Amino acid sequence: MRKPGSVLKEMFENLGTRPVTILYPKEKVPIPEAFRGKIAIRDEKCIGCSKCAIVCPTQCITMVANEREVEVKGKTIVRKKKPEVELYMCIRCGLCEEYCPTDPKAIYLTNAFSGAGPDKEVVVK
Amino acid sequence: MSELLKVEQVAKAMEGLGTVDAMKPNRIRVATTPAKVKEAVQRALKDLKCDHVVQIAAVDNGKSFELIYNLTGPHHTVVSILLELPRDKPEVPTASDLLPPAGLYERQIHDLLGIVFVGHPNLKRIILNEDWPENEFPMRKDWKPNPNTFYGGVHTEEAK
Amino acid sequence: MTEVVVPIGPHHPALKEPVNFKVVADGETIVRLELDVSYNHRGIEKAAEQRDFVRVVPLLERVCGICSHSHTTVFVKGIEEAMKVQIPPRAQYIRTIVAELERIHSHLLWFGVAAHEIGFNTLFMWTWRDREAVQDMLEEMTGNRVNYGINEVGGVRRDLTPEQIQAALKRLPHLEDRIAKYRDMVNKEATMMIRFRGVGKLSKDDILKLGAVGPTARASGVDYDIRKDDPYIAYADVPWQVITDTHGDVYGRTLVRIGELQQSLQIVRYCLENLPAGPIKITTPRAAPRGEILSRYEAPRGELVHFIRTNNTDKVERLDIRTPTLANWTSVAVSLVHQNLADIPVIVAAIDPCLSCTSRITIVNERGKKTGEMTWDELSAHGREFYRKRGRA
Amino acid sequence: MDPILLAVYILLFPGFLFLLAYAFFFQFLDRKIAARMQARVGPPLLQPFADFVKMLGKEVIDVKGMDRKAFDAAPLLALAAVMTAFLYVPIVGNSPLAFQGDLILVLYLLTLPTIVLFLLGWLSRNVFATIGGVRAVTQMFIYEVPFFLALLTPALMAGSWSITDIVAWQQSHLWFAVLQPIGFVVALIGLQAKLERTPFDIPEAETEIVAGPWTELTGRRLAMMRLTMDVSMVVGSALVAALFLGGPRIPWTITPDWLSWIVGFGLFFVKTLGVLLVLASIKVATGRLRIDQLNDVGWKYLASAAILQVLIVLLMNYWWVSA
């Protein structure tokens, strides 16, 4: 049966057990792999269809002119543009990853969650 | 759980005030005019035993303003009283004496759409910030933020 | 005794969000109170009118930090109703699971903050520690602790893998045991009882007259719960019941919220165990036919209402959001008069105000002081120069 | 006692230097116990000392139109009062400065910080601070009477107003914690209220009136005032340990002089830590009372318990002494 909860008993139990808080910079928190973290771009997979730029809610993806052969389903095509993401405008919603037609997604969210930085206009190429 | 109101019940309670139609089993709408809105709300409170105002929605559909009073009660049916206000003189008697929470909702609608609620105890600004320019109502369809008026926040031109 | 005007807010340690009470106190009891909301109005309704259905969902997720899933679900449910589209049952169940997990972590958060208001920091630490289990579940399922981004018009964006379901089910017993312990503590812990009993008391017809919603109303015996009155997503076929109480004061609201915690855990367990198979979303037409929907939802703080009017385009013609906290303000202001100054934080916290829901614009207003955009190095140069000058002066 | 040894006694070992170090250690221990009870890690050992040094360096902000000199002097006055009180409490053996009536002096010096807090609240021209100051004084009236009664009953039984004599009396009889349990409990609760810790931290109720009288204290003033609170915690628990738990003496005497000093200090150390553990667990286990609730609790239960205790002591004195 469940022991009745009393504040005093719980306090002294806690005195014995290990504390729950972790000292963040030294000890790290385990991140689930499904976590939506910092955005990243696989340049070799991108076919320049700019679907991600259209669907982005905060319009932080701009298409930049960039010629490159890309191998898609056996054929190699020359793509005209590639996406550039303004990192601190991105709200990490993952819509771009969802609408990207390439197989290993050309634009995807890693699970790096710490993203502070001094430069406001940093851009992920 | 008492069962839902019937359309006939609402029609009988509201006859003479406006047309009644049921969009869904638990949504019954009464279209009425601004003059009769107080009477309609009173009847809803008394005859139809509605005791809880869900929301007062305000819409600017280009031509005129529409106000929808949504009321509900233990019968779990939403009785919504719809009325249209002319664009040039949007005035309607207040419902805050019958429904106390309406005081806050009406002040918010007044801020955003500029509908004047006659008889409201203090129709002061509640939702926009203090130095938002007078009689500029952001939720109106024809409202465009013109660049040279100052809408609060940082005095950018002096800062340059 | 001369009357003292005590400003509580907008920046006040007790209120985590900006609301301003100009309180006129005679000694310790409050005589008159001026309420000043909306330091946080962001014009979301106007912004929502310029976004199509795919891009408006992330915007609506950010109406409120804690109940972000509520705002997206109520909107998406309304649009699906307008499009007369039925989403697959698996998506309904996943939405219910995330909704109830959000209610659990919101109530646990509230319970900790309420204990902190009366200075009982131990319970604050314990409840927020147990809340981590719920946050981990949500993080594994939806990819983020708060803004879940799981909803979209026509269904859900992510599926639940069997491992995630097992991991979640393993965490539930511990949570159930902890919440049962908290229920005992509330009834046994002396200072909590003294500070919660009889504070901010509202009778049943007060609540109905003042239009209070959610746990605040249910604590005085009003059994309005949209999940029962107007069932949506998967609440119709999940066995649970509405928790009401008769105390009507902060103590009653605590009991209602703890009861709801236990009910939500049961709902999550039921949904996880018999999650129907099948697709998780359907393709919906781009535009919604002309229509007017009043979409209601039981958010952790009370009844949340989205009035949506669609006009045959892929954008909303008008979105009118009425949040539970806006409905609760009148009842708080009335129940605060003749109370003690020391009780303000407890009574205000009792309705669990969520200010970023209620008003949605934040404009920094530095009247008179000249502030402009400073780049990083300008700021640090300014800092060094300022202190060097001070050093010499 | 020749002056050099006295100077060492006052300034170095059981005097001010030891007191400051012990105060920092007490604050560390209090925060560590509270943290571990709340399943948190808690601060490292030197954290209080680091806080103190950092606060000394911080900028001192003066409220416009404030009486600067008075605002600077008040924390120092409180600190001085509390540190002198420490000299009369026996730590190692007898305190060389003991005189008939030093218990009253120590009690008076211990109430000075609360009055200084009220003064700070009044001087800092801030509505939160003024309300905090008024609350500090109202709270003082509530718990002072039972606290004094509880601390004076040992003197009644031991028949002398000097703490050293009371400790000596306890050496040959039972401890007062055993003889007067009610007085011991009331003294502990009164001490918790005097130090303004959680069930009684109404004056600086963080969630209601920002920080009460502490609101406008910044920089070195805040450092001094926090140090005063730590030192008064040490002095308070040393006083309760001396009066109720027999202080640094043991019934049988140990021949070599320096060994009995060490044992005495060890006993003092253990007893004050015991009192600290009780204070910390009270702080963790309860929430904050409202000022009017404190009024009912204070007068109904604390005061009547203290008076009952005095009654029992008078009866025991009469019946025991005459028999």
Side-chain angles (χ1 to χ4, degrees), chain B residues 14-127:
Chain B
M14 294 285 183
E15 28 81 27
L17 290 182
T19 64
V20 174
D21 62 3
M23 299 184 295
K24 255 173 57 178
N26 56 9
R27 295 280 192 282
I28 296 172
R29 201 162 52 162
V30 179
T32 175
T33 62
K36 301 198 192 100
V37 73
K38 247 187 144 66
E39 171 64 16
V41 171
Q42 226 140 22
R43 285 200 193 161
L45 289 178
K46 268 204 313 305
D47 311 347
L48 300 172
K49 297 195 299 308
C50 294
D51 49 18
H52 172 60
V53 56
V54 172
Q55 186 201 22
I56 301 178
V59 182
D60 168 11
N61 56 20
K63 301 185 300 304
S64 66
F65 296 128
E66 282 176 49
L67 266 179
I68 298 115
Y69 293 69
N70 300 305
L71 303 162
T72 184
H75 43 64
H76 305 311
T77 326
V78 175
V79 175
S80 29
I81 299 163
L82 169 78
L83 50 96
E84 288 219 19
L85 302 169
R87 206 172 176 70
D88 39 18
K89 208 162 72 52
E91 299 215 337
V92 73
T94 177
S96 50
D97 42 8
L98 302 168
L99 307 160
L104 269 181
Y105 304 154
E106 285 171 355
R107 278 174 69 182
Q108 180 175 350
I109 295 168
H110 170 69
D111 273 3
L112 294 178
L113 273 169
I115 299 174
V116 175
F117 290 89
V118 175
H120 191 284
N122 65 344
L123 208 55
K124 285 208 309 293
R125 167 151 305 171
I126 181 167
I127 204 82

Side-chain angles (χ1 to χ4, degrees), chain D residues 55 58-62 71 214-223:
Chain D
M55 258 190 274
K58 286 287 179 199
E59 182 197 2
V60 179
I61 298 159
D62 298 337
F71 213 68
W214 299 73
T215 320
E216 294 300 340
L217 280 171
T218 48
R220 61 177 183 284
R221 297 179 190 130
L222 181 60

Side-chain angles (χ1 to χ4, degrees), chain D residues 194-251:
Chain D
K194 180 184 284 302
L195 301 171
E196 281 171 17
R197 288 156 61 85
T198 293
F200 309 97
D201 65 347
I202 298 158
E204 44 107 10
E206 182 246 354
T207 51
E208 289 137 30
I209 39 170
V210 184
W214 299 73
T215 320
E216 294 300 340
L217 280 171
T218 48
R220 61 177 183 284
R221 297 179 190 130
L222 181 60
M224 286 305 157
M225 210 49 207
R226 280 215 16 185
L227 185 59
T228 314
M229 277 307 164
D230 294 343
V231 167
S232 57
M233 183 155 66
V234 169
V235 173
S237 52
L239 187 66
V240 167
L243 290 182
F244 285 91
L245 302 170
R249 307 293 281 277
I250 38 165

